[in-house]
Amino acid sequence: MAQVLLKKQGTIAIISVDRPEALNALSRSIIDEMDDLVEEVMKDRDIRCLILHSKKNFAAGADIKKMIECNEQEARAFLFSPTYNKIADLSIPVIAAIEGYALGGGMELAMTADIRIAGEGAKMGFPEVTLGIMPGAGGTVRVPRIIGEARAKELIFTGDVITAERAEAMGLVNRVTADDQVFDEAMKLAKKLAKRAPIALAAAKATIRSGQEEPDQNKSIDIEAANWAKLFTTEDQKEGMRAFLEKRKPAFQNK
Ligand code: CAA
Protein backbone atom coordinates (compact mmCIF):
# COMPACT_ATOMS: atom_id res chain seq x y z
CA MET A 1 0.00 0.00 0.00
CA ALA A 2 1.20 3.50 -0.84
CA GLN A 3 2.94 5.28 2.02
CA VAL A 4 3.28 8.60 0.21
CA LEU A 5 0.27 10.37 -1.23
CA LEU A 6 -0.11 13.09 -3.84
CA LYS A 7 -3.34 15.08 -3.75
CA LYS A 8 -4.34 18.04 -5.84
CA GLN A 9 -6.62 20.84 -4.76
CA GLY A 10 -7.05 22.99 -7.85
CA THR A 11 -3.57 24.14 -8.81
CA ILE A 12 -2.03 23.18 -5.44
CA ALA A 13 -0.32 19.81 -4.97
CA ILE A 14 0.13 18.22 -1.56
CA ILE A 15 2.63 15.43 -0.85
CA SER A 16 2.12 13.56 2.44
CA VAL A 17 3.83 10.65 4.12
CA ASP A 18 1.42 8.14 5.65
CA ARG A 19 3.27 5.96 8.13
CA PRO A 20 1.76 7.07 11.44
CA GLU A 21 2.88 3.99 13.41
CA ALA A 22 6.52 5.09 12.98
CA LEU A 23 5.86 8.85 13.28
CA ASN A 24 6.34 9.05 9.49
CA ALA A 25 9.97 7.91 9.68
CA LEU A 26 11.37 7.80 6.16
CA SER A 27 12.47 4.51 4.65
CA ARG A 28 14.20 4.07 1.29
CA SER A 29 10.94 2.82 -0.27
CA ILE A 30 9.07 5.88 1.02
CA ILE A 31 11.65 8.13 -0.62
CA ASP A 32 11.35 6.14 -3.88
CA GLU A 33 7.59 6.67 -3.81
CA MET A 34 8.11 10.35 -3.05
CA ASP A 35 10.54 10.62 -5.97
CA ASP A 36 7.91 9.36 -8.42
CA LEU A 37 5.36 11.85 -7.08
CA VAL A 38 7.82 14.74 -7.28
CA GLU A 39 8.44 13.79 -10.93
CA GLU A 40 4.68 13.90 -11.48
CA VAL A 41 4.50 17.38 -9.94
CA MET A 42 7.44 18.50 -12.06
CA LYS A 43 5.69 17.46 -15.29
CA ASP A 44 2.31 18.97 -14.45
CA ARG A 45 2.31 22.52 -15.78
CA ASP A 46 -0.99 23.32 -14.07
CA ILE A 47 0.49 22.98 -10.57
CA ARG A 48 1.44 26.35 -9.11
CA CYS A 49 2.58 25.38 -5.61
CA LEU A 50 3.56 22.27 -3.67
CA ILE A 51 2.80 21.74 0.02
CA LEU A 52 4.72 19.12 2.00
CA HIS A 53 2.48 18.08 4.87
CA SER A 54 1.97 14.92 6.86
CA LYS A 55 -0.65 14.49 9.53
CA LYS A 56 0.37 14.68 13.21
CA ASN A 57 4.13 14.32 12.57
CA PHE A 58 6.04 15.81 9.65
CA ALA A 59 8.64 13.00 9.84
CA ALA A 60 10.76 11.65 12.71
CA GLY A 61 13.78 11.28 10.43
CA ALA A 62 15.29 8.49 8.44
CA ASP A 63 14.34 4.97 9.47
CA ILE A 64 16.88 3.97 12.12
CA LYS A 65 15.74 0.32 12.07
CA LYS A 66 16.65 0.16 8.37
CA MET A 67 19.95 2.03 8.72
CA ILE A 68 21.54 0.30 11.70
CA GLU A 69 23.29 -2.48 9.77
CA CYS A 70 24.25 -0.39 6.70
CA ASN A 71 27.85 -0.44 5.53
CA GLU A 72 29.29 2.62 3.77
CA GLN A 73 28.08 1.59 0.33
CA GLU A 74 24.59 0.76 1.58
CA ALA A 75 24.46 4.04 3.49
CA ARG A 76 25.19 5.92 0.26
CA ALA A 77 22.42 4.05 -1.51
CA PHE A 78 20.02 4.74 1.38
CA LEU A 79 20.51 8.51 1.21
CA PHE A 80 17.67 10.84 0.25
CA SER A 81 19.57 13.73 -1.35
CA PRO A 82 18.73 13.05 -5.04
CA THR A 83 15.00 13.28 -4.26
CA TYR A 84 15.42 16.22 -1.89
CA ASN A 85 17.45 18.06 -4.54
CA LYS A 86 14.61 17.50 -7.03
CA ILE A 87 12.19 19.14 -4.60
CA ALA A 88 14.53 22.05 -3.94
CA ASP A 89 15.01 22.47 -7.71
CA LEU A 90 11.29 22.69 -8.48
CA SER A 91 10.51 25.97 -10.21
CA ILE A 92 7.23 26.37 -8.31
CA PRO A 93 7.18 27.49 -4.67
CA VAL A 94 7.27 24.75 -2.05
CA ILE A 95 5.80 25.18 1.45
CA ALA A 96 6.52 22.82 4.34
CA ALA A 97 3.64 22.63 6.83
CA ILE A 98 5.18 21.15 9.97
CA GLU A 99 3.17 19.42 12.67
CA GLY A 100 4.70 17.36 15.46
CA TYR A 101 8.18 15.96 14.99
CA ALA A 102 10.45 17.07 12.14
CA LEU A 103 13.79 15.48 12.95
CA GLY A 104 16.93 14.58 11.03
CA GLY A 105 16.02 13.56 7.49
CA GLY A 106 12.48 14.83 8.22
CA MET A 107 13.76 18.31 8.99
CA GLU A 108 16.08 18.09 5.96
CA LEU A 109 12.96 17.48 3.87
CA ALA A 110 11.42 20.62 5.35
CA MET A 111 14.61 22.52 4.47
CA THR A 112 14.02 21.79 0.75
CA ALA A 113 10.94 24.04 0.94
CA ASP A 114 11.01 27.75 0.22
CA ILE A 115 8.79 28.61 3.19
CA ARG A 116 8.18 26.70 6.44
CA ILE A 117 5.09 27.07 8.63
CA ALA A 118 5.13 25.21 11.95
CA GLY A 119 2.49 24.35 14.52
CA GLU A 120 3.13 25.66 18.03
CA GLY A 121 3.69 22.11 19.30
CA ALA A 122 6.17 21.18 16.57
CA LYS A 123 9.53 19.78 17.65
CA MET A 124 12.43 20.19 15.29
CA GLY A 125 16.10 19.36 15.18
CA PHE A 126 18.98 17.36 13.82
CA PRO A 127 19.65 14.55 16.34
CA GLU A 128 22.03 12.68 14.01
CA VAL A 129 25.13 13.20 16.18
CA THR A 130 23.31 11.49 19.04
CA LEU A 131 23.15 8.42 16.77
CA GLY A 132 26.79 8.52 15.70
CA ILE A 133 26.14 10.09 12.28
CA MET A 134 25.60 13.59 10.93
CA PRO A 135 22.93 15.10 8.66
CA GLY A 136 23.35 13.52 5.23
CA ALA A 137 20.43 14.74 3.15
CA GLY A 138 21.46 18.35 2.60
CA GLY A 139 21.32 19.50 6.24
CA THR A 140 24.92 20.62 6.59
CA VAL A 141 24.54 22.68 3.41
CA ARG A 142 20.99 24.05 3.50
CA VAL A 143 20.69 24.79 7.23
CA PRO A 144 23.66 27.23 7.42
CA ARG A 145 22.44 28.96 4.26
CA ILE A 146 19.03 29.47 5.84
CA ILE A 147 19.89 30.36 9.44
CA GLY A 148 23.62 31.17 9.31
CA GLU A 149 26.67 29.10 10.14
CA ALA A 150 26.85 29.67 13.92
CA ARG A 151 23.21 28.79 14.57
CA ALA A 152 23.41 25.79 12.24
CA LYS A 153 26.50 24.52 14.05
CA GLU A 154 24.82 24.85 17.44
CA LEU A 155 21.78 22.89 16.24
CA ILE A 156 23.73 20.19 14.40
CA PHE A 157 26.52 19.81 17.00
CA THR A 158 24.15 19.58 20.00
CA GLY A 159 21.45 17.51 18.30
CA ASP A 160 18.99 19.48 20.45
CA VAL A 161 15.31 19.19 19.63
CA ILE A 162 13.86 22.70 19.72
CA THR A 163 10.39 24.21 20.01
CA ALA A 164 8.58 25.98 17.20
CA GLU A 165 8.99 29.27 19.05
CA ARG A 166 12.77 28.90 19.12
CA ALA A 167 12.84 27.72 15.52
CA GLU A 168 10.95 30.85 14.49
CA ALA A 169 13.32 33.08 16.47
CA MET A 170 16.32 31.63 14.64
CA GLY A 171 14.68 31.77 11.19
CA LEU A 172 14.43 28.01 10.81
CA VAL A 173 10.68 28.44 10.20
CA ASN A 174 8.98 31.49 8.75
CA ARG A 175 6.11 31.48 11.22
CA VAL A 176 4.25 29.56 13.87
CA THR A 177 0.54 28.92 13.99
CA ALA A 178 -1.91 26.88 16.09
CA ASP A 179 -1.33 23.15 15.56
CA ASP A 180 -4.73 22.58 13.97
CA GLN A 181 -4.22 25.53 11.60
CA VAL A 182 -0.89 24.52 10.05
CA PHE A 183 -2.28 22.98 6.90
CA ASP A 184 -4.93 25.67 6.43
CA GLU A 185 -2.32 28.41 6.78
CA ALA A 186 -0.10 26.67 4.24
CA MET A 187 -3.04 26.31 1.87
CA LYS A 188 -3.98 29.99 2.28
CA LEU A 189 -0.44 31.00 1.40
CA ALA A 190 -0.27 28.50 -1.48
CA LYS A 191 -3.48 29.95 -2.97
CA LYS A 192 -2.03 33.44 -2.74
CA LEU A 193 1.19 32.34 -4.48
CA ALA A 194 -0.86 30.51 -7.11
CA LYS A 195 -2.37 33.84 -8.16
CA ARG A 196 1.01 35.43 -8.85
CA ALA A 197 2.64 35.37 -12.29
CA PRO A 198 4.18 31.86 -12.42
CA ILE A 199 7.10 32.67 -14.71
CA ALA A 200 8.00 35.73 -12.64
CA LEU A 201 7.80 33.69 -9.45
CA ALA A 202 9.99 30.94 -10.91
CA ALA A 203 12.49 33.56 -12.07
CA ALA A 204 12.54 35.14 -8.60
CA LYS A 205 13.11 31.70 -7.01
CA ALA A 206 15.98 30.85 -9.37
CA THR A 207 17.54 34.30 -9.05
CA ILE A 208 17.42 34.28 -5.23
CA ARG A 209 19.07 30.86 -5.25
CA SER A 210 21.83 31.83 -7.66
CA GLY A 211 22.40 34.99 -5.60
CA GLN A 212 22.85 32.81 -2.49
CA GLU A 213 25.26 30.48 -4.23
CA GLU A 214 27.35 33.02 -6.20
CA PRO A 215 29.93 34.72 -3.99
CA ASP A 216 30.42 37.72 -6.33
CA GLN A 217 27.59 40.14 -5.50
CA ASN A 218 27.92 42.25 -8.66
CA LYS A 219 27.77 39.11 -10.79
CA SER A 220 24.54 38.17 -9.00
CA ILE A 221 23.11 41.61 -9.68
CA ASP A 222 23.99 41.17 -13.38
CA ILE A 223 22.16 37.82 -13.35
CA GLU A 224 19.20 39.51 -11.68
CA ALA A 225 19.16 42.22 -14.36
CA ALA A 226 19.20 39.65 -17.17
CA ASN A 227 16.46 37.54 -15.57
CA TRP A 228 14.39 40.66 -14.89
CA ALA A 229 14.66 41.90 -18.47
CA LYS A 230 13.78 38.47 -19.82
CA LEU A 231 10.40 38.65 -18.11
CA PHE A 232 9.51 41.39 -20.61
CA THR A 233 9.35 38.64 -23.25
CA THR A 234 6.37 37.05 -21.42
CA GLU A 235 2.69 37.65 -22.05
CA ASP A 236 2.13 37.66 -18.30
CA GLN A 237 4.26 40.81 -17.95
CA LYS A 238 2.00 42.61 -20.42
CA GLU A 239 -1.09 41.18 -18.72
CA GLY A 240 0.08 42.14 -15.21
CA MET A 241 0.86 45.73 -16.14
CA ARG A 242 -2.22 46.10 -18.35
CA ALA A 243 -4.42 44.79 -15.53
CA PHE A 244 -2.91 47.35 -13.16
CA LEU A 245 -3.60 50.22 -15.55
CA GLU A 246 -7.11 48.94 -16.27
CA LYS A 247 -7.76 48.60 -12.51
CA ARG A 248 -8.65 44.89 -12.66
CA LYS A 249 -7.13 41.66 -11.39
CA PRO A 250 -4.61 40.04 -13.75
CA ALA A 251 -5.36 36.69 -15.40
CA PHE A 252 -1.91 35.12 -15.75
CA GLN A 253 -1.53 32.39 -18.37
CA ASN A 254 1.94 31.04 -17.52
CA LYS A 255 3.13 32.33 -20.90
N1 CAA B 1 13.24 5.44 12.61
C1 CAA B 1 12.54 4.29 12.83
N2 CAA B 1 11.50 4.23 13.69
C2 CAA B 1 11.16 5.36 14.35
C3 CAA B 1 11.85 6.58 14.16
C4 CAA B 1 12.93 6.59 13.23
N3 CAA B 1 13.61 7.70 12.95
N4 CAA B 1 11.28 7.51 14.95
C5 CAA B 1 10.27 6.91 15.60
N5 CAA B 1 10.19 5.61 15.25
C6 CAA B 1 9.27 4.59 15.71
C7 CAA B 1 9.69 4.04 17.07
O1 CAA B 1 10.68 3.06 16.94
C8 CAA B 1 8.38 3.50 17.57
O2 CAA B 1 8.12 2.27 16.96
P1 CAA B 1 7.76 0.95 17.86
O3 CAA B 1 6.41 1.31 18.44
O4 CAA B 1 7.72 -0.14 16.86
O5 CAA B 1 8.82 0.85 18.89
C9 CAA B 1 7.35 4.49 17.03
O6 CAA B 1 7.99 5.17 15.94
C10 CAA B 1 6.94 5.54 18.04
O7 CAA B 1 8.11 6.16 18.52
P2 CAA B 1 8.47 6.31 20.08
O8 CAA B 1 7.85 5.21 20.87
O9 CAA B 1 9.94 6.50 20.20
O10 CAA B 1 7.67 7.66 20.39
P3 CAA B 1 8.00 8.77 21.48
O11 CAA B 1 6.83 9.68 21.46
O12 CAA B 1 8.39 8.14 22.76
O13 CAA B 1 9.29 9.54 20.93
C11 CAA B 1 10.64 10.64 19.25
C12 CAA B 1 9.22 10.29 19.75
C13 CAA B 1 11.32 11.59 20.26
C14 CAA B 1 10.49 11.33 17.92
C15 CAA B 1 11.47 9.34 19.14
O14 CAA B 1 10.73 8.38 18.40
C16 CAA B 1 12.79 9.53 18.43
O15 CAA B 1 13.71 10.05 19.03
N6 CAA B 1 12.89 9.10 17.16
C17 CAA B 1 14.13 9.15 16.41
C18 CAA B 1 14.40 10.55 15.93
C19 CAA B 1 15.74 10.63 15.23
O16 CAA B 1 16.78 10.43 15.80
N7 CAA B 1 15.70 10.98 13.91
C20 CAA B 1 16.88 11.12 13.11
C21 CAA B 1 17.14 9.86 12.34
S1 CAA B 1 18.71 9.89 11.52
C22 CAA B 1 18.46 10.71 10.07
O17 CAA B 1 17.40 11.22 9.79
C23 CAA B 1 19.67 10.69 9.17
C24 CAA B 1 19.73 11.48 7.91
O18 CAA B 1 20.53 12.38 7.78
C25 CAA B 1 18.92 11.14 6.73
Side-chain angles (χ1 to χ4, degrees):
M1 220 171 75
Q3 290 191 294
V4 190
L5 311 167
L6 171 63
K7 283 189 222 138
K8 283 187 219 165
Q9 283 189 28
T11 58
I12 318 292
I14 304 125
I15 290 184
S16 315
V17 177
D18 185 22
R19 194 191 175 199
E21 70 285 1
L23 315 182
N24 293 326
L26 304 162
S27 62
R28 187 58 251 172
S29 63
I30 286 183
I31 297 299
D32 289 340
E33 280 183 42
M34 191 181 288
D35 198 272
D36 290 343
L37 300 179
V38 172
E39 294 271 349
E40 220 178 298
V41 168
M42 215 183 282
K43 285 180 198 137
D44 188 336
R45 276 184 50 87
D46 291 334
I47 294 176
R48 295 277 184 272
C49 187
L50 170 65
I51 299 175
L52 304 171
H53 171 258
S54 302
K55 281 192 189 137
K56 229 169 149 192
N57 289 290
F58 190 79
D63 192 322
I64 300 167
K65 289 174 195 163
K66 299 265 164 62
M67 276 186 297
I68 183 164
E69 297 300 344
C70 279
N71 60 31
E72 184 180 353
Q73 209 180 354
E74 288 159 345
R76 285 181 80 91
F78 183 88
L79 264 180
F80 306 160
S81 333
T83 302
Y84 285 13
N85 290 349
K86 274 186 201 170
I87 300 171
D89 290 347
L90 286 170
S91 59
I92 55 170
V94 179
I95 302 170
I98 307 170
E99 282 179 50
Y101 286 109
L103 300 175
M107 196 58 201
E108 287 173 301
L109 175 61
M111 302 315 278
T112 66
D114 300 298
I115 296 169
R116 281 160 289 282
I117 298 176
E120 56 199 359
K123 297 250 186 326
M124 289 161 270
F126 299 92
E128 284 90 341
V129 291
T130 69
L131 298 165
I133 55 169
M134 65 173 210
T140 65
V141 178
R142 290 197 178 97
V143 182
R145 284 189 182 165
I146 293 168
I147 62 170
E149 184 183 328
R151 285 175 171 152
K153 281 181 172 165
E154 188 179 350
L155 264 186
I156 291 170
F157 290 1
T158 60
D160 283 349
V161 176
I162 62 168
T163 61
E165 192 185 5
R166 188 146 175 245
E168 184 184 28
M170 63 170 68
L172 195 65
V173 300
N174 293 63
R175 61 183 133 107
V176 177
T177 179
D179 286 322
D180 61 359
Q181 291 298 309
V182 180
F183 181 74
D184 291 348
E185 279 293 316
M187 186 49 89
K188 212 158 89 186
L189 177 59
K191 284 183 177 161
K192 182 191 263 195
L193 300 181
K195 286 191 199 131
R196 304 297 182 240
I199 302 171
L201 219 155
K205 179 167 170 169
T207 310
I208 289 170
R209 173 142 172 207
S210 75
Q212 294 287 304
E213 289 171 1
E214 167 58 57
D216 181 340
Q217 191 166 306
N218 287 346
K219 198 169 161 193
S220 294
I221 290 169
D222 286 347
I223 292 170
E224 179 192 63
N227 290 351
W228 179 81
K230 203 155 184 239
L231 291 171
F232 287 76
T233 65
T234 66
E235 288 179 25
D236 283 348
Q237 173 266 323
K238 301 288 176 268
E239 167 60 13
M241 294 191 182
R242 210 179 288 128
F244 173 79
L245 296 173
E246 291 170 3
K247 302 190 189 305
R248 61 172 173 84
K249 288 207 158 63
F252 293 121
Q253 301 291 328
N254 200 13
K255 285 187 200 156

